[in-house]
Amino acid sequence: LPKAYNLPKVRAFAHLPKLNISLNDYQYKVMMQLLDKCTPSSAEMMSNDDLKDYAVSDDALDQNNQVQLLKNMQLLENMTPAELDQKLLDIQFDIDLVQISMFKCLEDKSMHCKKLIDVLGGKLKLNFVKKAKGMDLDLSMHSLEIEDFIEDNHNDLFTHLVSSSVLNPSGTKDLFAVNFKREQRIVHHKELLIEVFDQDIKINMAQLQVVLTPTSILTLMNYALTTFTDPDAPALPADALRHNKENWEDAPQKLTMNVNMAGMVVLLNDESIKLATLILSAVDFSMTLLPEKMRVNMKLGGLELTDEISESLPEDSVFRRLISMSDKDLAELTYETFDASNNPHNYDSILKYSTGSMNINFIEHSVNKLMNFFYKFQRMKTVFDSAREVAYNQAPSIDSVNNMKMDINIK
């Protein structure tokens, strides 16, 4: 049925009772290199007859890529809306239980590794759709647990960095649902064709419990940066658009994200001691990220920071609530950075914070403990950053944001 555009060309469905994945950073990098080397370029088989109307720059894009982009653009322009909307590939996976074990490779030859975390997901559903100009990915999960193997916690309360079962042990709804869209654009820029991809992410999430263990969190952040990013990656063709305005036809590629969360409970773990509990409710987060600037907006329906170490105070004492804000007093935070090449302001970024009434109890002992906790956290982050820069043989990074304007409004 070649004209049945309402039907996908290829559809696949699979159901797995359990999926176990074990992976270390060295294996991941080797697999990415193999994929890069083994994937042939279809542009190598094409002629350059269609390039006669376009200039070719060896520094920006090679000739074969220009031929491929020109053919793709002409093909898309000749397609009907029904053809553009047809599903070329539709894959659905239902997995009852997923376990992903992440390891850090300590020695390449022997593959001696140290386990970092176990990620356990229950009732995962994945739907991937590929269309002519983009792709859609829908992912939902009923439960999520991340078990920590980095820090030797002597308190069972801190063994899971992320947990959904603690707050909702018999929940019937999914923990979160993610919708990811990627849309292709082929734009003209200085007599060249450049391919860019705009991405949009929407996340709806129920309440989660997160344990803030400094060593574990910083180790995972460092692991992600050294494993999944490449600071020495060559410049991409789309980088030529990075300073363009986002409302232009040849705008740079961008990523937009919207997160709606019912709430979050954050436990501050100071060497296996429960220092404080931070409760956030009705979190609405949005972000627009471009190559040289970004905008972040966050709204909170409620916030409460509770002291957990003052033994002299009863557990229900009002003085244990160091910071509290009711659901009626909405707090909103906006942060924006600007492109240094065309910034009209005399500051590099702006931070706006507005909130309703907020109750603060200043308990000297508790406040000192919290300040010391975050000071140690910052010191540890500096050590991790320095180690990563040495590993990458980089010069120490300098913060590019020099001047910040702050606008704080408490009603």
Side-chain angles (χ1 to χ4, degrees):
L1 300 174
K3 298 297 183 181
Y5 299 127
N6 60 319
L7 300 177
K9 287 192 173 183
V10 179
R11 170 175 283 173
F13 175 81
H15 174 264
L16 295 175
K18 187 174 183 180
L19 176 63
N20 290 329
I21 300 175
S22 295
L23 190 67
N24 65 54
D25 52 338
Y26 182 74
Q27 291 172 328
Y28 173 81
K29 292 177 180 178
V30 170
M31 286 192 298
M32 291 299 102
Q33 291 174 3
L34 286 173
L35 287 174
D36 183 56
K37 299 296 183 183
C38 296
T39 304
S41 174
S42 59
E44 295 176 357
M45 306 297 295
M46 296 183 179
S47 66
N48 59 359
D49 294 339
D50 292 324
L51 258 182
K52 56 187 178 182
D53 295 329
Y54 293 89
V56 178
S57 171
D58 293 334
D59 296 332
L61 293 170
D62 62 33
Q63 183 174 348
N64 289 335
N65 285 335
Q66 286 290 285
V67 173
Q68 177 67 23
L69 289 174
L70 181 59
K71 287 183 175 290
N72 287 346
M73 186 178 67
Q74 292 173 345
L75 179 64
L76 292 171
E77 288 175 349
N78 293 327
M79 295 176 71
T80 65
E83 289 177 298
L84 290 172
D85 197 50
Q86 184 183 21
K87 298 177 181 179
L88 305 178
L89 179 64
D90 187 352
I91 299 177
Q92 297 181 38
F93 274 109
D94 287 354
I95 306 174
D96 296 336
L97 180 63
V98 179
Q99 179 173 336
I100 303 175
S101 300
M102 304 297 294
F103 294 83
K104 174 68 176 177
C105 185
L106 304 178
E107 210 280 321
D108 298 348
K109 294 182 179 179
S110 65
M111 295 295 288
H112 176 60
C113 300
K114 172 180 171 56
K115 180 182 278 194
L116 301 181
I117 55 171
D118 271 344
V119 181
L120 300 173
K123 297 182 180 178
L124 182 143
K125 295 182 179 180
L126 183 146
N127 183 208
F128 173 81
V129 173
K130 179 70 175 71
K131 298 181 180 180
K133 292 183 63 175
M135 54 165 275
D136 293 349
L137 177 67
D138 289 299
L139 177 70
S140 65
M141 189 177 291
H142 184 74
S143 61
L144 177 66
E145 308 285 330
I146 300 180
E147 188 173 357
D148 182 13
F149 291 91
I150 302 170
E151 184 83 355
D152 294 328
N153 292 298
H154 303 293
N155 189 335
D156 293 340
L157 184 64
F158 305 130
T159 56
H160 289 83
L161 293 175
V162 176
S163 177
S164 61
S165 61
V166 174
L167 303 176
N168 192 19
S170 59
T172 57
K173 295 183 179 180
D174 288 335
L175 172 66
F176 67 82
V178 179
N179 174 254
F180 172 75
K181 293 181 181 292
R182 193 174 86 150
E183 191 81 10
Q184 179 201 47
R185 282 188 293 125
I186 300 177
V187 301
H188 295 269
H189 179 73
K190 296 181 179 179
E191 297 185 342
L192 289 171
L193 294 175
I194 297 180
E195 181 183 38
V196 298
F197 293 94
D198 296 324
Q199 302 175 81
D200 181 67
I201 303 173
K202 295 180 180 178
I203 303 175
N204 289 305
M205 187 176 295
Q207 197 171 34
L208 269 180
Q209 176 176 287
V210 177
V211 175
L212 189 59
T213 305
T215 304
S216 301
I217 297 298
L218 292 173
T219 298
L220 291 175
M221 289 174 60
N222 192 65
Y223 178 83
L225 288 172
T226 56
T227 303
F228 306 115
T229 63
D230 183 6
D232 300 320
L236 298 175
D239 291 338
L241 311 175
R242 60 188 310 115
H243 297 294
N244 291 4
K245 294 184 179 180
E246 56 183 302
N247 58 349
W248 288 2
E249 184 179 349
D250 57 348
Q253 57 190 9
K254 68 176 180 179
L255 182 146
T256 58
M257 176 184 291
N258 289 277
V259 180
N260 187 279
M261 180 182 291
M264 179 182 294
V265 177
V266 182
L267 307 182
L268 274 58
N269 175 16
D270 186 15
E271 299 178 356
S272 297
I273 297 175
K274 187 179 179 182
L275 191 63
T277 300
L278 174 66
I279 300 177
L280 306 175
S281 59
V283 182
D284 189 3
F285 174 88
S286 64
M287 178 181 69
T288 300
L289 181 63
L290 291 100
E292 295 293 335
K293 59 182 180 179
M294 71 173 179
R295 291 187 301 273
V296 175
N297 183 268
M298 184 171 68
K299 296 179 181 179
L300 290 176
L303 180 150
E304 184 174 296
L305 179 64
T306 305
D307 173 22
E308 303 285 1
I309 58 172
S310 296
E311 298 179 355
S312 59
L313 295 174
E315 290 188 3
D316 58 349
S317 172
V318 67
F319 294 106
R320 279 185 176 268
R321 295 200 294 272
L322 301 178
I323 301 176
S324 60
M325 182 180 67
S326 68
D327 292 338
K328 298 179 180 179
D329 301 317
L330 187 71
E332 183 172 0
L333 182 144
T334 303
Y335 176 71
E336 184 174 2
T337 63
F338 304 97
D339 186 351
S341 66
N342 51 31
N343 182 12
H345 310 290
N346 58 358
Y347 48 86
D348 303 297
S349 64
I350 182 169
L351 176 68
K352 295 181 180 180
Y353 179 74
S354 62
T355 182
S357 60
M358 182 179 295
N359 299 319
I360 300 176
N361 289 320
F362 189 88
I363 310 298
E364 183 178 2
H365 171 71
S366 302
V367 172
N368 286 338
K369 283 282 189 180
L370 287 171
M371 292 179 64
N372 185 56
F373 174 81
F374 288 109
Y375 173 74
K376 289 192 297 183
F377 196 108
Q378 179 60 34
R379 287 288 302 272
M380 290 177 64
K381 183 179 183 302
T382 302
V383 172
F384 274 83
D385 290 345
S386 300
R388 185 175 65 253
E389 287 159 0
V390 170
Y392 277 139
N393 195 25
Q394 292 178 314
S397 60
I398 301 175
D399 192 357
S400 60
V401 178
N402 299 315
N403 301 310
M404 177 188 291
K405 178 181 178 180
M406 301 183 69
D407 184 0
I408 300 176
N409 182 17
I410 301 177
K411 301 174 184 178

